[in-house]
Amino acid sequence: MAAETVRTAKTAGTVVGKAAGEARYPRPPVSLEEAEWVWRTLASQAVEEGAKPETVRLAVVTGLARASGARYGDLLRCTVRSLDLGAGWVDVEHGKHRVPRRHGLDAGTVLVLRRWMDVRADLCAELEGSVPEALLLTVHHTHDNGVTVAAGLPITRQGLVLSWRRFVYRTNAAHAGRRPPLPTRFEQLRRAWTTAGAAAGA
């Protein structure tokens, strides 16, 4: 009887824990106003003289997510051929089924992308062999399992995760007490735009 009581308690605890976990996810998006502030901040920093390549790349990621609702995985599939900056659009393959969609780009996003293409060309100039087709590349030498990986190679999802977190930590420290802290999950920023788009289309 005692053993049965213990098993029941464990089962109940598991169910409660699962329910609590489900209540926490997905985490709520930031407000649309906050998402737009992040975009304006990154876009303005990206076009400044001497902007760090990582800042320019992060502005590109944010601008494309804002324009298309694309997740990291979708953006990592984009190549330089996915863009037509003259016409102002980007082709993105969405989701695990890679559904192709064409999205329009506003002038600010096109400007940031043009800056990134210049940065990207500088990064690739130091590479030996063929230039990667991937749109998003590493901006500094990294280490992978003890092996040095040169800048200018396709970035991984983990690389994008770490890049966003570095921006968040810097921004939260600089604006502590004056602005709400940014979340360490980029998804909560991306969903601010997709939620607003869904509401506008309803």
Side-chain angles (χ1 to χ4, degrees):
M1 186 67 178
E4 183 63 30
T5 302
V6 170
R7 282 196 297 271
T8 301
K10 286 183 177 179
T11 302
T14 300
V15 172
V16 170
K18 184 178 180 182
E22 290 173 349
R24 289 194 301 268
Y25 295 98
R27 296 182 182 182
V30 302
S31 67
L32 181 60
E33 292 76 15
E34 189 72 0
E36 287 293 297
W37 180 84
V38 171
W39 159 242
R40 290 193 303 271
T41 298
L42 281 167
S44 63
Q45 291 176 357
V47 297
E48 290 176 355
E49 187 68 28
K52 292 183 178 180
E54 182 177 34
T55 300
V56 183
R57 186 186 62 200
L58 189 54
V60 166
V61 169
T62 304
L64 290 179
R66 177 174 176 263
S68 67
R71 293 177 168 84
Y72 280 158
D74 306 331
L75 295 177
L76 290 173
R77 285 193 289 270
C78 288
T79 69
V80 292
R81 299 178 187 276
S82 302
L83 296 171
D84 188 327
L85 298 183
W89 52 253
V90 60
D91 287 332
V92 180
E93 296 179 353
H94 289 269
K96 63 181 181 180
H97 297 298
R98 302 192 177 188
V99 179
R101 293 177 190 156
R102 178 163 291 181
H103 304 276
L105 302 172
D106 63 22
T109 306
V110 169
L111 183 62
V112 167
L113 278 162
R114 289 190 187 281
R115 182 64 183 274
W116 170 244
M117 296 306 287
D118 291 338
V119 171
R120 188 181 180 282
D122 290 340
L123 293 170
C124 292
E126 299 182 11
L127 292 176
E128 296 181 4
S130 59
V131 174
E133 284 287 313
L135 176 63
L136 301 175
L137 306 178
T138 56
V139 296
H140 47 70
H141 295 315
T142 58
H143 297 279
D144 187 4
N145 293 324
V147 178
T148 300
V149 180
L153 297 178
I155 194 171
T156 64
R157 184 183 185 283
Q158 184 63 15
L160 293 182
V161 168
L162 294 175
S163 181
W164 168 250
R165 287 180 182 172
R166 282 191 290 268
F167 169 75
V168 165
Y169 295 148
R170 289 195 306 270
T171 305
N172 286 349
H175 296 273
R178 291 178 291 146
R179 298 191 63 86
L182 294 174
T184 56
R185 292 171 180 262
F186 184 79
E187 176 69 7
Q188 290 171 261
L189 188 79
R190 184 192 71 83
R191 286 178 51 235
W193 289 306
T194 58
T195 300

